[in-house]
Amino acid sequence: MIIRGIETSCDETSIALLKVDGSDLHTLSLRTYSQADIHAVFGGVVPEVASRNHMQKIIPLYQQTIDEAGIVQSDIDIISVTNAPGLIGALFVGVAFAKGLGYALKKPVVPIHHLSGHILSGELDNPSLKPPYIAMVASGGHTHIYDVNNPLSFTLWGRTIDDAAGEAFDKVAKMIGGKYPGGPFIERLALEGNPLAIKFPIALRDTDNFCFSGLKTAVLTAVNKKEFSNADIAASFQHTVAVTLTNKLIRAAKTLNRDKIVLAGGVACNGYIRKYLSERALEEGITVHLPSIALCNDNALMIAYAAYRITQGQQLDKYSDLGFAAGDTRHNIDV
Ligand code: KG4
Ligand code: ZN
């Protein structure tokens, strides 16, 4: 079975082809075009600009995946597309394209919730990973912990009550002269700083939720005081986020009696956080599964894989009705 994945929810245009052969997964092609440099000039993603760039890139990327995989269009069995959540104009591009393909090729089109893609992305690199496990999506829009307790049930366990972790990285980077996206900028600068230089506050210590506004204010105060270098501020901020995410993940795993954790989403690209979480979890006898960097950032392979997981054992007929809308959030997942 060959599954086409399409992802255009934010500023990455991504197209994939995933082949599923029994329990073997083969990536036939994954092409992702990041618009990050285009949006960096504006200090964040400009929705209209994102939609226009998706429009320009989607067909060339689609053709590249066909050429790389050496298949013909009719070899595809399922078309999957992110239909929520995201920038509505950006989602429209992917959804309209997927529907056009489905209509022309007479193939089912499976709408996928973007978070389902991130949650399940840990399984793509680790085929032996099976539920139950704890999954965190830490990205520009979400900091959510899920209990993945059977193949298709994602139970929301804890979430941010204000900013997402990635958003905090982006805003802190702006405070110290970095461009969007802030995560990679902070990570690079932090290499020259001391993670223990400044003791920033950790909010909501005794709950399952997150809150980053106090940390952001504390960083701004440190920036204004000019007592510490930007490198020390970056390193101490990054360390605080690492401790915060790790504490909550270990707390969730212990409470729910899970021995596996997946960290996914753009923030999961961060080498310091990956290492810190892995080391702390090891001390607790918990295994951490970290998707490869290409699968932490927004990508269409995770969407194709989610479609495979979600449709497994199902009749595909119900996906022949192309009447679903972009942005429609009636999904099997709490956010
Ligand atoms: O999952 P993603 O690619 O898109 C969303 O669905 O939001 O995540 C993007 C977010 C941005 O806020 C970006 O600053 C953050 O992930 N990010 C990082 C790193 N790389 C990207 N945060 C921390 N460290 C990184 N290396
Ligand atoms: Zn994402």
Side-chain angles (χ1 to χ4, degrees), residues 114 118 139 298:
H114 185 73
H118 277 306
S139 67
D298 284 351

Side-chain angles (χ1 to χ4, degrees), residues 232-246:
D232 279 347
I233 292 173
S236 301
F237 162 76
Q238 179 177 261
H239 176 73
T240 308
V241 176
V243 174
T244 305
L245 301 184
T246 299

Side-chain angles (χ1 to χ4, degrees), residues 9-12 114 118 137-142 165-167 169-170 180-184 187 238 265-271 273 296-298:
S9 64
C10 192
D11 59 343
E12 263 93 28
H114 185 73
H118 277 306
V137 182
S139 67
H142 297 88
E167 208 177 343
F169 267 96
D170 294 336
Y180 174 86
E187 187 175 0
Q238 179 177 261
V267 176
C269 295
N270 187 289
I273 295 175
C296 287
N297 286 311
D298 284 351

Side-chain angles (χ1 to χ4, degrees), residues 271-298:
Y272 187 88
I273 295 175
R274 289 167 85 95
K275 188 162 177 281
Y276 184 85
L277 170 64
S278 302
E279 287 173 0
R280 287 263 319 270
L282 190 66
E283 288 165 14
E284 303 285 345
I286 299 167
T287 312
V288 175
H289 294 271
L290 299 162
S292 60
I293 300 298
L295 297 181
C296 287
N297 286 311
D298 284 351

Side-chain angles (χ1 to χ4, degrees), residues 113-128:
H113 192 283
H114 185 73
L115 288 196
S116 306
H118 277 306
I119 290 170
L120 294 170
S121 65
E123 297 181 19
L124 262 166
D125 281 334
N126 305 281
S128 62

Side-chain angles (χ1 to χ4, degrees), residues 11-51:
D11 59 343
E12 263 93 28
T13 320
S14 185
I15 309 276
L17 283 168
L18 174 70
K19 184 172 182 185
V20 184
D21 210 346
S23 56
D24 290 341
L25 304 174
H26 306 279
T27 303
L28 299 183
S29 186
L30 170 61
R31 294 290 169 122
T32 302
Y33 167 73
S34 172
Q35 305 173 9
D37 290 347
I38 296 170
H39 297 286
V41 182
F42 304 104
V45 180
V46 182
E48 169 83 13
V49 174
S51 310

